[in-house]
Amino acid sequence: MDRGKPGSKMHVLSDAAGLPLLVGLSAANTHDSQALKPMVLGHQTRHDPHRGRRFKPQRLHADKAYNIPELRKWLRGKRIGVRIARKGIESSERLGRRRWVIERTMSWLTGCRRLSHRYERHPRNYLAFLGLAAAICCYKRLVRLTT
């Protein structure tokens, strides 16, 4: 936590291919781990009426900022596999094989000129542009797959 730090942090929940599923925004002086629960709860699971079951996230890959025992226990209670680097035990290099996907997604989102610097005064406007950028990323991916 950086006390008194101005600005905001983007939080992105993406699939294994890097498509942004859910975007969020928080103040820059709050810890990253506080945004994890709302992001996971905000992700809507898909229901298959033929099989009568829900599809939920199987695994969560995150960096060391999310390594809090309470969050690990909460995710296990939701039956979501946890792959979070532990401080002092695992190096960041081992998770690099999976984490580059979210880093690439963040790069796609900040590639929009409006999001590289925060020009908006109100957070709802910035969040709206962030959602629009995520929709554009999904659209570009869809066009690339269909052509």
Side-chain angles (χ1 to χ4, degrees):
M1 174 162 57
D2 296 326
R3 289 177 172 73
K5 184 177 180 183
S8 58
K9 290 182 187 178
M10 285 190 290
H11 301 281
V12 179
L13 186 68
S14 75
D15 66 351
L19 289 177
L21 301 174
L22 191 65
V23 292
L25 193 66
S26 69
N29 62 351
T30 60
H31 197 267
D32 291 339
S33 63
Q34 293 179 352
L36 182 66
K37 283 185 182 180
M39 294 291 283
V40 172
L41 291 174
H43 177 64
Q44 296 179 355
T45 57
R46 201 175 63 199
H47 179 67
D48 185 9
H50 300 293
R51 295 183 184 160
R53 64 179 191 166
R54 294 194 175 271
F55 293 96
K56 62 177 180 57
Q58 294 176 349
R59 267 178 240 101
L60 178 81
H61 295 268
D63 59 0
K64 293 180 183 183
Y66 298 95
N67 184 26
I68 296 176
E70 176 191 332
L71 287 177
R72 285 180 175 270
K73 185 177 177 182
W74 183 77
L75 287 167
R76 274 192 230 109
K78 294 268 184 200
R79 295 186 180 166
I80 298 174
V82 179
R83 185 73 176 108
I84 301 175
R86 292 173 288 181
K87 295 178 183 176
I89 298 173
E90 296 178 17
S91 68
S92 299
E93 296 169 358
R94 280 190 63 199
L95 289 176
R97 293 175 285 176
R98 304 270 193 261
R99 278 204 9 233
W100 70 270
V101 175
I102 194 67
E103 297 297 332
R104 181 186 63 187
T105 303
M106 296 293 279
S107 163
W108 287 343
L109 293 176
T110 56
C112 299
R113 189 175 70 98
R114 191 83 182 205
L115 296 176
S116 61
H117 296 288
R118 183 165 171 181
Y119 297 109
E120 284 75 29
R121 183 174 179 88
H122 299 288
R124 66 178 179 266
N125 294 345
Y126 187 75
L127 185 60
F129 281 118
L130 185 60
L132 184 62
I136 289 171
C137 288
C138 292
Y139 175 73
K140 285 181 181 179
R141 180 64 179 247
L142 178 68
V143 168
R144 191 173 346 139
L145 290 176
T146 58
T147 57

